[in-house]
Amino acid sequence: MNTIFFLILFIFPGIVYKLVVKRCVPKPKETESAYEELIKALVFSTFVLMINLLLFKSVTLNVMNLLLGLNENSTFTGNSLFMVVGYFALTLIAIVIAGVGFRFFVAPLGRRILNLYRKAMKLPLEVDKGHTAWDIITEVKGFSDQAPVVSIIRGGEVIMSGCLTVWFNSAMTWKDIRLKNVGDVTEKLKSQPDLFEEDCGWYFLNDGTGIMFYKADKYYEYLKS
């Protein structure tokens, strides 16, 4: 039974990282098998255990001895339960440290090494910081205070145009947006196309949906006049 508790304690950081820390730093949505998820959780949990041994060595070794029965004091008491709970609390600190380390140091370093290999093999490089094309448009490039004017395109036909006011990030399962001034933008694109200048386009290969982004300074100046 103690061994089961130890395994739960060991895998705890990987579970927390998956459910909490990764949500705080969105990244492109990935479909992974249960095996891949387990391997990542084990690797992250091992990294957290190393941090615990470095920062909280005494508490960590005492808990490991208790749960694995490595010494004569391997039975649960009120004090030992308090120690295990305290270890959980300290582990949360280590999870934050490990999460930040993985996100901003380990992952970028791994990407640089991978890109060196891909460059040598003349393969496409991974986008820096793991951003998708959508992230580059909406987060890296960013928008001004004015809502960007866009047209939604499918099958070569514009199905809707308007001012983009709400949009998704790449970590979200649902890819939905909100447009305003749909009627006015649609009419102006036809009657006064000089108010708009094509900026960039985004195309979702999975279902063939495209979004054209326009430079719309002239359009907003027109609205003010």
PDB file of all heavy atoms in Angstrom, residues 150-163:
ATOM      1  N   VAL A 150     -11.598  41.555 -41.216  1.00  0.00           N
ATOM      2  CA  VAL A 150     -11.277  40.262 -41.827  1.00  0.00           C
ATOM      3  C   VAL A 150     -12.414  39.798 -42.733  1.00  0.00           C
ATOM      4  O   VAL A 150     -13.557  40.263 -42.620  1.00  0.00           O
ATOM      5  CB  VAL A 150     -11.026  39.181 -40.757  1.00  0.00           C
ATOM      6  CG1 VAL A 150      -9.897  39.591 -39.820  1.00  0.00           C
ATOM      7  CG2 VAL A 150     -12.288  38.889 -39.962  1.00  0.00           C
ATOM      8  N   SER A 151     -12.073  38.882 -43.610  1.00  0.00           N
ATOM      9  CA  SER A 151     -13.065  38.160 -44.414  1.00  0.00           C
ATOM     10  C   SER A 151     -12.860  36.671 -44.194  1.00  0.00           C
ATOM     11  O   SER A 151     -11.719  36.189 -44.225  1.00  0.00           O
ATOM     12  CB  SER A 151     -12.918  38.482 -45.905  1.00  0.00           C
ATOM     13  OG  SER A 151     -13.367  39.781 -46.202  1.00  0.00           O
ATOM     14  N   ILE A 152     -13.946  35.940 -43.947  1.00  0.00           N
ATOM     15  CA  ILE A 152     -13.898  34.491 -43.781  1.00  0.00           C
ATOM     16  C   ILE A 152     -14.139  33.873 -45.155  1.00  0.00           C
ATOM     17  O   ILE A 152     -15.144  34.180 -45.815  1.00  0.00           O
ATOM     18  CB  ILE A 152     -14.962  33.987 -42.791  1.00  0.00           C
ATOM     19  CG1 ILE A 152     -14.968  34.868 -41.536  1.00  0.00           C
ATOM     20  CG2 ILE A 152     -14.722  32.527 -42.450  1.00  0.00           C
ATOM     21  CD1 ILE A 152     -13.661  34.910 -40.813  1.00  0.00           C
ATOM     22  N   ILE A 153     -13.234  33.008 -45.565  1.00  0.00           N
ATOM     23  CA  ILE A 153     -13.292  32.445 -46.913  1.00  0.00           C
ATOM     24  C   ILE A 153     -13.352  30.923 -46.828  1.00  0.00           C
ATOM     25  O   ILE A 153     -12.602  30.300 -46.069  1.00  0.00           O
ATOM     26  CB  ILE A 153     -12.056  32.875 -47.730  1.00  0.00           C
ATOM     27  CG1 ILE A 153     -11.950  34.401 -47.763  1.00  0.00           C
ATOM     28  CG2 ILE A 153     -12.098  32.305 -49.137  1.00  0.00           C
ATOM     29  CD1 ILE A 153     -10.634  34.915 -48.300  1.00  0.00           C
ATOM     30  N   ARG A 154     -14.252  30.346 -47.612  1.00  0.00           N
ATOM     31  CA  ARG A 154     -14.322  28.888 -47.702  1.00  0.00           C
ATOM     32  C   ARG A 154     -14.706  28.507 -49.134  1.00  0.00           C
ATOM     33  O   ARG A 154     -15.634  29.074 -49.694  1.00  0.00           O
ATOM     34  CB  ARG A 154     -15.329  28.315 -46.711  1.00  0.00           C
ATOM     35  CG  ARG A 154     -15.441  26.787 -46.779  1.00  0.00           C
ATOM     36  CD  ARG A 154     -16.312  26.230 -45.677  1.00  0.00           C
ATOM     37  NE  ARG A 154     -15.671  26.365 -44.359  1.00  0.00           N
ATOM     38  CZ  ARG A 154     -16.269  26.061 -43.221  1.00  0.00           C
ATOM     39  NH1 ARG A 154     -17.510  25.632 -43.215  1.00  0.00           N
ATOM     40  NH2 ARG A 154     -15.628  26.207 -42.082  1.00  0.00           N
ATOM     41  N   GLY A 155     -13.968  27.579 -49.696  1.00  0.00           N
ATOM     42  CA  GLY A 155     -14.239  27.158 -51.062  1.00  0.00           C
ATOM     43  C   GLY A 155     -14.051  28.274 -52.071  1.00  0.00           C
ATOM     44  O   GLY A 155     -14.707  28.302 -53.110  1.00  0.00           O
ATOM     45  N   GLY A 156     -13.158  29.212 -51.751  1.00  0.00           N
ATOM     46  CA  GLY A 156     -12.904  30.329 -52.654  1.00  0.00           C
ATOM     47  C   GLY A 156     -13.930  31.429 -52.587  1.00  0.00           C
ATOM     48  O   GLY A 156     -13.816  32.429 -53.304  1.00  0.00           O
ATOM     49  N   GLU A 157     -14.929  31.300 -51.720  1.00  0.00           N
ATOM     50  CA  GLU A 157     -15.983  32.298 -51.602  1.00  0.00           C
ATOM     51  C   GLU A 157     -15.937  32.976 -50.230  1.00  0.00           C
ATOM     52  O   GLU A 157     -15.704  32.327 -49.208  1.00  0.00           O
ATOM     53  CB  GLU A 157     -17.364  31.641 -51.779  1.00  0.00           C
ATOM     54  CG  GLU A 157     -17.587  30.980 -53.136  1.00  0.00           C
ATOM     55  CD  GLU A 157     -17.686  31.998 -54.261  1.00  0.00           C
ATOM     56  OE1 GLU A 157     -18.091  33.147 -53.992  1.00  0.00           O
ATOM     57  OE2 GLU A 157     -17.338  31.658 -55.396  1.00  0.00           O
ATOM     58  N   VAL A 158     -16.144  34.289 -50.225  1.00  0.00           N
ATOM     59  CA  VAL A 158     -16.221  35.028 -48.962  1.00  0.00           C
ATOM     60  C   VAL A 158     -17.590  34.773 -48.344  1.00  0.00           C
ATOM     61  O   VAL A 158     -18.620  35.090 -48.943  1.00  0.00           O
ATOM     62  CB  VAL A 158     -16.015  36.539 -49.181  1.00  0.00           C
ATOM     63  CG1 VAL A 158     -16.231  37.288 -47.869  1.00  0.00           C
ATOM     64  CG2 VAL A 158     -14.622  36.815 -49.736  1.00  0.00           C
ATOM     65  N   ILE A 159     -17.621  34.187 -47.175  1.00  0.00           N
ATOM     66  CA  ILE A 159     -18.897  33.859 -46.545  1.00  0.00           C
ATOM     67  C   ILE A 159     -19.289  34.886 -45.477  1.00  0.00           C
ATOM     68  O   ILE A 159     -20.449  34.960 -45.083  1.00  0.00           O
ATOM     69  CB  ILE A 159     -18.882  32.444 -45.931  1.00  0.00           C
ATOM     70  CG1 ILE A 159     -17.767  32.326 -44.882  1.00  0.00           C
ATOM     71  CG2 ILE A 159     -18.690  31.393 -47.012  1.00  0.00           C
ATOM     72  CD1 ILE A 159     -17.753  30.984 -44.157  1.00  0.00           C
ATOM     73  N   MET A 160     -18.323  35.677 -44.999  1.00  0.00           N
ATOM     74  CA  MET A 160     -18.636  36.715 -44.016  1.00  0.00           C
ATOM     75  C   MET A 160     -17.446  37.657 -43.872  1.00  0.00           C
ATOM     76  O   MET A 160     -16.291  37.229 -43.969  1.00  0.00           O
ATOM     77  CB  MET A 160     -18.989  36.101 -42.660  1.00  0.00           C
ATOM     78  CG  MET A 160     -19.436  37.116 -41.608  1.00  0.00           C
ATOM     79  SD  MET A 160     -19.908  36.331 -40.027  1.00  0.00           S
ATOM     80  CE  MET A 160     -21.390  35.446 -40.526  1.00  0.00           C
ATOM     81  N   SER A 161     -17.724  38.933 -43.658  1.00  0.00           N
ATOM     82  CA  SER A 161     -16.676  39.923 -43.400  1.00  0.00           C
ATOM     83  C   SER A 161     -17.109  40.791 -42.225  1.00  0.00           C
ATOM     84  O   SER A 161     -18.312  40.952 -41.970  1.00  0.00           O
ATOM     85  CB  SER A 161     -16.439  40.803 -44.632  1.00  0.00           C
ATOM     86  OG  SER A 161     -15.985  40.044 -45.734  1.00  0.00           O
ATOM     87  N   GLY A 162     -16.148  41.345 -41.525  1.00  0.00           N
ATOM     88  CA  GLY A 162     -16.471  42.202 -40.390  1.00  0.00           C
ATOM     89  C   GLY A 162     -15.250  42.540 -39.572  1.00  0.00           C
ATOM     90  O   GLY A 162     -14.118  42.216 -39.954  1.00  0.00           O
ATOM     91  N   CYS A 163     -15.494  43.190 -38.438  1.00  0.00           N
ATOM     92  CA  CYS A 163     -14.418  43.568 -37.519  1.00  0.00           C
ATOM     93  C   CYS A 163     -14.264  42.479 -36.461  1.00  0.00           C
ATOM     94  O   CYS A 163     -15.212  42.162 -35.737  1.00  0.00           O
ATOM     95  CB  CYS A 163     -14.732  44.904 -36.858  1.00  0.00           C
ATOM     96  SG  CYS A 163     -14.955  46.273 -38.023  1.00  0.00           S
TER      97      CYS A 163
END
